[in-house]
């Protein structure tokens, strides 16, 4: 009987990196805004309008909006200092001077930034969210986001500006039970307990997990199952969900998204437009439940509306307030990139766009 050929973990991982990077480089130019034309079409920019690009990144959506409506004004927000620098350069250029106002901060910083710029509530005509990491963050090894590039295990979207904990800090101090919860809830990782136990065992063996390749290797060895497939049946590294979970936890992403959706309702004018682009189900679920009015105490309900019971409430006005939405969705089904866009930009494969108009 022939023995199965076993490829050492390092070689398997290196092969996966080389092939995924080569394929990505061949079909996916960096910093390409996802669903750009569709997003601007749903925003319907008007001359003299005020718009918020809540995730400026490399500025692709902002540029397209200003091409569509040169008389518009855009507040360009990003927590990443690199993106903020690009926004400043754009605002100082001859072409865009006076039309782009760069803002450095998170969604939860909006109230403070609104006050600093003298903006009133319900004064914005349109808001665009492009959630998740930008291509720039994934492409820079020193940021620590990508499995395919070896670098320090950082993952802070603000580059350490807030002096928050890194992913390496989390792995160095977290309890096993808490780590399992992080992996299960933020990474939707079915093997969360097994991975958490393995990572804590590695720590007890005096192994300091400080780089992306270290973490990827250890998770792959813990699972021992080789490359996986994601929900769309695409090849996926064993540590993909672990990386996602740590990134979301380090950057408090889901709470920021929820707060961003709450603030969108506060700063948009009546009949103002909201466009969101999400890249995984955790992000999309929060957006969808806010748009559908499935919100409790300012947060997206943990349960879909079909599982929520209001039978214990007798007051019709209270019942209506719990189920009504401030939004009207502008399309029947979620919008995804077409085959042509996916072929040009593989990073758009998971994207989902939702657009709504504020009605209350």
């Amino acid at each position: 009987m022939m023995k199965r050929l076993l490829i050492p973990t390092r070689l398997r991982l290196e092969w996966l990196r080389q092939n995924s990077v080569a394929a990505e480089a061949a079909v996916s130019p960096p910093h390409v805004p996802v669903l750009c034309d569709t997003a601007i079409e749903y925003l319907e920019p008007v001359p003299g309008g005020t718009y918020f690009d809540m995730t400026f990144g490399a500025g692709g959506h902002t540029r397209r909006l200003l091409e569509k409506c040169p008389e518009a004004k855009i507040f360009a927000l990003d927590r990443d200092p690199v993106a903020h620098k690009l926004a400043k350069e754009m605002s100082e250029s001859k072409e865009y001077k006076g039309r782009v106002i760069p803002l450095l901060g998170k969604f939860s910083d909006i109230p403070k930034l609104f006050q600093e710029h003298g903006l009133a509530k319900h004064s914005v005509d349109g808001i665009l969210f492009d959630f998740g990491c930008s291509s720039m963050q994934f492409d820079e090894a020193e940021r620590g986001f990508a499995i395919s590039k070896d670098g320090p295990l950082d993952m802070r979207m603000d580059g350490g500006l807030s002096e928050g904990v890194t992913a390496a800090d989390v792995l160095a101090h977290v309890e096993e039970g808490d780590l399992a919860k992080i992996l299960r809830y933020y990474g939707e990782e079915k093997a969360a307990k097994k991975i958490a136990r393995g990572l804590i065992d590695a720590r007890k063996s005096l192994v300091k997990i400080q780089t992306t390749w270290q973490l990827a290797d250890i998770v792959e060895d813990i699972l021992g199952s080789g490359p996986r497939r994601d929900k769309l049946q695409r090849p996926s590294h064993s540590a993909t969900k672990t990386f996602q979970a740590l990134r979301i936890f380090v950057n408090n992403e889901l709470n920021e998204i929820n707060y961003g959706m709450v603030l969108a309702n506060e700063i948009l004018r009546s009949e103002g437009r909201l466009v969101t682009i999400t890249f995984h189900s955790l992000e999309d679920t929060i957006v969808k439940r806010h748009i559908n009015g499935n919100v409790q105490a300012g947060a997206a309900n943990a349960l879909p509306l079909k599982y929520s019971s209001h039978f214990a409430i007798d007051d019709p006005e209270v019942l209506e307030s719990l189920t009504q939405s401030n939004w009207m969705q502008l399309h029947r089904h979620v919008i995804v990139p077409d085959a042509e866009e996916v072929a040009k930009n593989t990073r758009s494969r998971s994207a989902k766009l939702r657009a709504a108009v504020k009605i209350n």
Side-chain angles (χ1 to χ4, degrees):
M1 182 182 293
M2 291 184 63
K3 291 184 178 180
R4 185 167 60 117
L5 179 62
L6 296 177
I7 304 173
T9 295
R10 171 60 68 183
L11 294 180
R12 293 202 314 272
L13 190 56
E14 186 61 37
W15 179 90
L16 180 62
R17 292 184 186 113
Q18 289 175 350
N19 281 271
S20 64
V21 171
E24 197 169 272
V27 298
S28 183
H31 320 321
V32 178
V34 175
L35 289 164
C36 191
D37 290 333
T38 306
I40 304 310
E41 177 185 337
Y42 273 107
L43 275 177
E44 284 192 350
V46 296
T50 299
Y51 298 87
F52 259 77
D53 184 345
M54 291 285 205
T55 43
F56 179 80
H61 288 108
T62 288
R63 284 188 182 86
R64 192 63 57 85
L65 191 153
L66 288 174
E67 288 172 4
K68 179 84 172 178
C69 187
E71 300 85 0
K73 178 186 288 188
I74 301 180
F75 287 86
L77 176 74
D78 208 294
R79 68 163 81 180
D80 190 331
V82 176
H84 180 62
K85 181 181 178 183
L86 293 176
K88 287 183 68 176
E89 291 173 354
M90 187 175 180
S91 71
E92 294 166 358
S93 68
K94 184 178 180 181
E95 185 178 2
Y96 299 108
K97 195 172 183 65
R99 295 189 289 158
V100 176
I101 297 90
L103 303 175
L104 179 62
K106 308 182 295 296
F107 304 149
S108 54
D109 293 323
I110 286 292
K112 178 185 69 175
L113 294 170
F114 242 60
Q115 190 174 26
E116 290 176 358
H117 288 268
L119 293 169
K121 289 175 65 176
H122 311 303
S123 63
V124 175
D125 296 283
I127 294 175
L128 171 65
F129 288 101
D130 183 4
F131 296 117
C133 281
S134 70
S135 298
M136 296 185 299
Q137 291 166 335
F138 277 119
D139 289 342
E140 296 178 13
E142 62 270 19
R143 302 299 298 271
F145 289 101
I147 295 174
S148 61
K149 302 177 187 296
D150 194 23
L153 198 57
D154 193 312
M155 297 194 187
R156 292 174 295 182
M157 287 183 173
D158 67 2
L161 195 66
S162 64
E163 300 182 351
V165 297
T166 66
D169 293 331
V170 174
L171 293 176
H173 299 98
V174 70
E175 298 290 335
E176 182 180 326
D178 291 334
L179 180 56
K181 289 179 181 178
I182 290 170
L183 299 178
R184 179 70 185 90
Y185 296 133
Y186 294 152
E188 300 179 291
E189 173 59 75
K190 293 180 180 178
K193 290 184 178 179
K194 184 176 182 179
I195 294 172
R197 170 61 61 86
L199 291 173
I200 298 302
D201 285 347
R203 189 174 76 191
K204 290 178 179 177
S205 301
L206 303 181
V207 175
K208 291 185 177 181
I209 307 174
Q210 296 181 320
T211 72
T212 53
W213 282 10
Q214 271 185 300
L215 177 59
D217 282 349
I218 292 172
V219 172
E220 189 176 42
D221 286 339
I222 291 168
L223 296 178
S225 56
R228 295 169 158 182
R229 291 191 176 273
D230 64 13
K231 292 179 180 179
L232 299 178
Q233 296 304 304
R234 302 169 303 191
S236 176
H237 190 274
S238 304
T240 297
K241 292 182 177 181
T242 299
F243 271 65
Q244 174 184 303
L246 288 171
R247 188 201 83 209
I248 290 174
F249 179 77
V250 165
N251 295 289
N252 196 26
E253 287 182 45
L254 300 188
N255 285 323
E256 283 292 324
I257 292 172
N258 184 77
Y259 198 46
M261 291 297 294
V262 171
L263 287 170
N265 184 55
E266 292 295 314
I267 66 179
L268 269 179
R269 65 170 175 81
S270 179
E271 299 185 2
R273 297 218 164 191
L274 169 72
V275 175
T276 68
I277 301 172
T278 61
F279 289 88
H280 58 75
S281 60
L282 296 175
E283 296 173 343
D284 188 56
T285 296
I286 294 172
V287 170
K288 180 170 60 177
R289 290 182 182 170
H290 272 275
I291 290 176
N292 290 339
N294 189 9
V295 178
Q296 291 185 345
N301 193 352
L303 293 173
L305 276 174
K306 63 181 179 180
Y307 297 126
S308 298
S309 174
H310 300 295
F311 291 130
I313 301 173
D314 296 323
D315 190 327
E317 291 185 3
V318 174
L319 181 58
E320 182 181 357
S321 70
L322 289 172
T323 56
Q324 70 179 3
S325 173
N326 293 320
W327 306 97
M328 181 181 71
Q329 192 155 291
L330 294 171
H331 46 86
R332 185 172 182 180
H333 301 292
V334 68
I335 297 168
V336 297
D338 58 23
E340 182 180 355
E341 179 167 2
V342 172
K344 291 179 180 178
N345 180 13
T346 58
R347 288 173 177 170
S348 69
R349 291 176 298 186
S350 304
K352 293 181 179 181
L353 184 147
R354 294 183 185 274
V357 61
K358 184 181 173 184
I359 57 177
N360 289 322

